[in-house]
Amino acid sequence: MSKRFEDLIGSPDDLAPEERARLRRVHDLLLEVGPPPEVPRRLRAPAVGRLSSRGRSLPALLAAALAAAAFGAGYLAGARDSGADAVRTIPMVGVGEGRDASASIDLLPEDDAGNWPMDVHVSGLEPNARGGDWYELWLTKGGKPIASCGRFTVDSAETTVRLSIPYRLRGYDGWIVTRRGSDEALLSTT
Amino acid sequence: MEAVLTTNRPVVPAGGELASINGATNRELTDGQLLERVGSGDRGAFEEIYRRYTRPVLGLALRRLGDRGRAEDALQDAFTVVWRSARSYDPSRGAGAAWLYTVARNAIVDGARRRPELPAELPEEQAAGAGPDELAESSWLTWRVLRAIEELPENERHVIELAYWSELSQSEIAERLHIPLGTVKTRTRTGLARLAGLLEEELR
């Protein structure tokens, strides 16, 4: 169906020629851009579960991550070839000397061998000197680093690194990032 | 990704929507002011940003990716990045809309690189002979227009969308909305005028 400008706005007597021309340009713009996309009902509100853990306990968050991962792995195996989508995003906040840093862990579906791959996105950590310095991600229990999830270096404002862990996550209650030679948390999920 | 969305949708803490600074509700704040709040962890502000930009981000993702499933994934990726990165928004370096556009575009492109099963631009866009500058300009224009539409009052937006993108005639729109034909035309006109104000730069 054609959309004629004159049909749409009628012929108001009080419309000055300049204003008519201005509305006409908007009319043309709308036709050029086309309709806004239809947003599925499930996406009409943000998936808050992908955001910060503020207000939720870490054990609850980890339990949710596990539940999501278990369900998500099945879903992804059935529906996607890539399997590269995170089943849970877990944010980390900077603490102590790392207070200006932030990070998030995209937990990927557990693989057939029982490993949990994850993409760790880090920003704001001080770049490491090359060779001999690194950061380390730990699973914690009672706030203490218990199981190393891997080491990484940072050489720019933002870094993403792929790590993989073989642990059963249920036994832990959080993650922290430390720097080589120190147990002090720079990033934490608590 | 569907699993995450459908199994983990905790209730957003109450109060965010109506939280105010100097008496302004989130709906009255500019994009930039909202982003500053998001940067300090305000979920109500984030919800408002999400409401304003869901369709612009999804529209941009559809243009770039040409696949609805991937575009919906990209939408979620983009807003996750917004939440994570809002602290880096600096109002002295530009308006909130431009920052959001950059963040969304980068998230979409990053997603396309991570999942490269389809080309990151629509084949027909490339075939049309448009250069990168023209594509970028066209994407920005679409972004601005879709964002402006979200600014319209509900009754004007509804009429504009039916008038321009449905198969309904004006009389049929009037019938569907149970309003006089004259009101349909008036709302169309006032909606266009409001859009003209919002899109002043694009109309120059």
Side-chain angles (χ1 to χ4, degrees):
Chain A
M1 175 178 292
S2 66
K3 301 294 183 183
R4 292 186 62 243
F5 177 65
E6 291 74 17
D7 293 341
L8 292 176
I9 69 160
S11 307
D13 298 332
D14 58 347
L15 203 56
E18 311 83 62
E19 179 63 3
R20 178 177 285 274
R22 189 163 163 260
L23 299 190
R24 179 64 192 239
R25 288 203 296 279
V26 178
H27 167 89
D28 292 340
L29 210 50
L30 291 176
L31 293 178
E32 179 185 337
V33 165
E38 184 69 27
V39 180
R41 184 175 297 278
R42 67 187 168 78
L43 294 179
R44 288 180 191 165
V48 181
R50 303 186 81 198
L51 307 180
S52 167
S53 62
R54 292 182 189 100
R56 301 184 73 196
S57 71
L58 253 295
L61 188 69
L62 283 172
L66 283 166
F71 179 52
Y75 168 82
L76 290 168
R80 299 287 178 87
D81 293 328
S82 71
D85 289 335
V87 293
R88 187 75 186 183
T89 297
I90 298 156
M92 301 182 78
V93 295
V95 294
E97 288 187 6
R99 59 186 170 279
D100 292 326
S102 63
S104 64
I105 300 170
D106 286 339
L107 190 65
L108 303 174
E110 186 181 22
D111 69 17
D112 292 339
N115 297 299
W116 291 93
M118 61 182 80
D119 286 334
V120 183
H121 310 280
V122 180
S123 65
L125 281 181
E126 184 185 348
N128 301 102
R130 284 193 180 275
D133 189 21
W134 60 72
Y135 293 100
E136 191 160 9
L137 178 68
W138 297 86
L139 274 165
T140 62
K141 201 168 186 177
K144 294 180 179 172
I146 302 295
S148 175
C149 301
R151 296 167 175 174
F152 58 94
T153 56
V154 169
D155 67 356
S156 62
E158 297 199 7
T159 298
T160 296
V161 58
R162 170 69 59 89
L163 302 174
S164 184
I165 55 174
Y167 314 121
R168 293 169 63 85
L169 299 181
R170 203 176 294 278
Y172 304 92
D173 58 11
W175 269 282
I176 62 169
V177 169
T178 63
R179 193 162 192 167
R180 183 190 181 192
S182 170
D183 283 336
E184 186 195 350
L186 301 174
L187 288 157
S188 172
T189 46
T190 56
Chain B
M1 200 58 66
E2 175 74 10
V4 177
L5 289 167
T6 55
T7 59
N8 297 284
R9 190 178 287 278
V11 175
V12 175
E17 180 67 23
L18 295 177
S20 64
I21 292 175
N22 300 327
T25 66
N26 283 333
R27 289 199 179 229
E28 294 168 331
L29 297 178
T30 66
D31 294 340
Q33 289 169 322
L34 285 171
L35 284 173
E36 289 182 286
R37 285 189 177 197
V38 174
S40 59
D42 185 332
R43 288 189 177 183
F46 179 75
E47 284 191 303
E48 177 61 17
I49 285 286
Y50 188 92
R51 185 192 68 76
R52 293 182 187 182
Y53 280 93
T54 306
R55 295 205 292 183
V57 173
L58 187 57
L60 185 63
L62 282 167
R63 286 173 66 91
R64 291 267 171 166
L65 303 172
D67 175 79
R68 178 160 272 278
R70 295 177 80 214
E72 290 176 0
D73 285 348
L75 170 78
Q76 296 170 73
D77 290 347
F79 278 104
T80 300
V81 175
V82 168
W83 173 258
R84 207 159 54 205
S85 309
R87 271 195 301 184
S88 71
Y89 169 67
D90 179 355
S92 69
R93 296 178 62 186
W99 186 88
L100 285 158
Y101 176 76
T102 303
V103 166
R105 187 192 58 201
N106 290 345
I108 291 163
V109 171
D110 286 349
R113 285 186 187 133
R114 284 201 305 271
R115 299 184 283 268
E117 58 266 35
L118 288 172
E121 292 284 357
L122 282 172
E124 52 267 39
E125 283 188 323
Q126 292 170 334
D133 289 351
E134 290 165 278
L135 288 176
E137 190 177 332
S138 166
S139 293
W140 172 247
L141 183 66
T142 302
W143 175 268
R144 293 285 298 133
V145 171
L146 295 183
R147 170 70 186 92
I149 290 170
E150 298 300 319
E151 280 286 285
L152 294 177
E154 177 75 28
N155 59 2
E156 290 174 15
R157 187 171 74 234
H158 202 182
V159 167
I160 289 279
E161 291 188 3
L162 288 173
Y164 279 87
W165 300 302
S166 79
E167 294 300 310
L168 299 178
S169 68
Q170 297 251 292
S171 302
E172 289 167 332
I173 293 171
E175 199 173 319
R176 173 179 288 197
L177 299 180
H178 307 291
I179 55 177
L181 177 59
T183 304
V184 172
K185 292 187 185 299
T186 302
R187 287 185 187 174
T188 304
R189 206 160 56 238
T190 53
L192 289 177
R194 209 180 299 272
L195 287 173
L198 293 165
L199 296 167
E200 211 162 314
E201 285 183 23
E202 285 69 25
L203 295 176
R204 282 179 191 153

